[in-house]
Amino acid sequence: VVSTQSTGSSGINAEYGGWTAFKMKVGVSQEDDMRRAALIRSLIGPNNKLMMDANQIWDVKDAVTRMKQLKVYDPYWIEEPTSPDDVDGHAQISQALREHGIGVATGEMCQNRVMFKQFLKLHAMQFCQIDSCRIGGVSEVLAIMVLARKFGVPVVPHAGGVGLCELVRHYSMIDYVLISGKIDDRMCEYAEHLHEHFTDPAVIRNARYVLPDQPGFSCEMRDDAIECYQFPKGSYWKTS
């Protein structure tokens, strides 16, 4: 989220603690997408990254057409441009947008390494978005991260939901220390909400995750949060 009071990349970086990459939703109205993209690009300046997320709303043809129109705002990637199961469709979109310098990011809806293998082998993703809860466990995620390294595709974890930010910081650390050894072409998504429900909440400093200092996977929820929100006996449901 960016404020309409900000001006230029230096202003946005200072106001938002050093952030250099921003994401916007697209897909419903091209006129509105163009308007918002122009506004955001004017606020963040030419040197910061602008990503776009369509949340699976387009078919292949529409995805290519719409992104060719939005390319004037220099999008770094288009995320989930079409059905998350359409590997061939993503490959077609990737090929069509390559000459325009727009990558395709996807993977948050993929459940296993077999799907990721197909996306990677067909060059259907330029950014590999693992999801800590969608995929069945740490071992499966590690296999996918190794596959991504083999194909030279950066891992950019999907986060923002309940507890995802707490989990993905571990994977980004593992990717850097044990697998890729790189951070220059990688990011780790962050959203500023719901961290208060966890015993080891995600911490951001200078637009970067701070490594946790507690053992485990940072997924333990606070007792008071569980008591409040467990369904149907939690106090939240009794009063709402």
Side-chain angles (χ1 to χ4, degrees):
V1 178
V2 295
S3 167
T4 55
Q5 306 302 315
S6 305
T7 56
S9 59
S10 60
I12 202 81
N13 289 347
E15 183 175 351
Y16 293 98
W19 296 102
T20 59
F22 303 85
K23 190 163 73 172
M24 62 175 288
K25 298 293 185 179
V26 296
V28 177
S29 165
Q30 186 70 350
E31 180 181 358
D32 190 55
D33 290 345
M34 298 288 282
R35 179 189 64 81
R36 291 183 296 109
L39 173 62
I40 295 172
R41 179 53 75 188
S42 71
L43 294 174
I44 68 175
N47 298 321
N48 288 318
K49 291 182 174 66
L50 174 60
M51 293 87 74
M52 298 180 179
D53 186 352
N55 288 115
Q56 315 163 24
I57 197 170
W58 295 323
D59 60 22
V60 173
K61 182 178 179 181
D62 283 341
V64 173
T65 300
R66 299 280 284 268
M67 289 311 299
K68 284 183 177 179
Q69 294 170 347
L70 286 162
K71 72 177 181 179
V72 296
Y73 303 111
D74 192 24
Y76 189 58
W77 76 45
I78 176 61
E79 183 173 332
E80 287 200 311
T82 193
S83 168
D85 300 320
D86 189 356
V87 181
D88 180 69
H90 278 80
Q92 293 181 54
I93 296 167
S94 295
Q95 182 177 4
L97 296 181
R98 186 174 298 121
E99 65 180 287
H100 303 288
I102 304 171
V104 169
T106 193
E108 68 178 83
M109 299 294 289
C110 293
Q111 305 90 352
N112 56 66
R113 64 188 184 276
V114 176
M115 285 293 294
F116 279 94
K117 179 190 72 172
Q118 295 177 56
F119 273 101
L120 291 163
K121 192 171 184 178
L122 291 178
H123 307 288
M125 61 165 61
Q126 286 70 60
F127 300 94
C128 177
Q129 292 186 301
I130 57 170
D131 184 284
S132 302
C133 294
R134 185 79 57 181
I135 300 167
V138 174
S139 297
E140 192 80 354
V141 173
L142 295 180
I144 293 163
M145 292 168 69
V146 172
L147 274 171
R149 180 190 177 185
K150 174 180 173 61
F151 286 94
V153 173
V155 173
V156 184
H158 169 252
V162 182
L164 286 180
C165 294
E166 280 65 37
L167 301 178
V168 295
R169 53 186 173 163
H170 293 270
Y171 287 129
S172 286
M173 177 180 64
I174 292 170
D175 180 45
Y176 174 61
V177 174
L178 298 176
I179 299 177
S180 73
K182 297 181 179 180
I183 59 173
D184 53 338
D185 58 351
R186 284 156 167 76
M187 290 174 281
C188 192
E189 194 170 20
Y190 179 76
E192 184 61 66
H193 69 152
L194 303 174
H195 308 296
E196 67 274 13
H197 301 301
F198 291 84
T199 60
D200 186 17
V203 175
I204 293 290
R205 188 178 301 145
N206 298 323
R208 294 180 183 273
Y209 279 92
V210 177
L211 298 184
D213 58 10
Q214 297 184 29
F217 201 19
S218 306
C219 59
E220 183 180 359
M221 298 190 74
R222 292 168 53 96
D223 291 339
D224 57 343
I226 295 173
E227 186 283 326
C228 180
Y229 292 105
Q230 64 178 335
F231 183 82
K233 296 182 179 179
S235 57
Y236 175 84
W237 306 104
K238 294 177 180 178
T239 58
S240 61

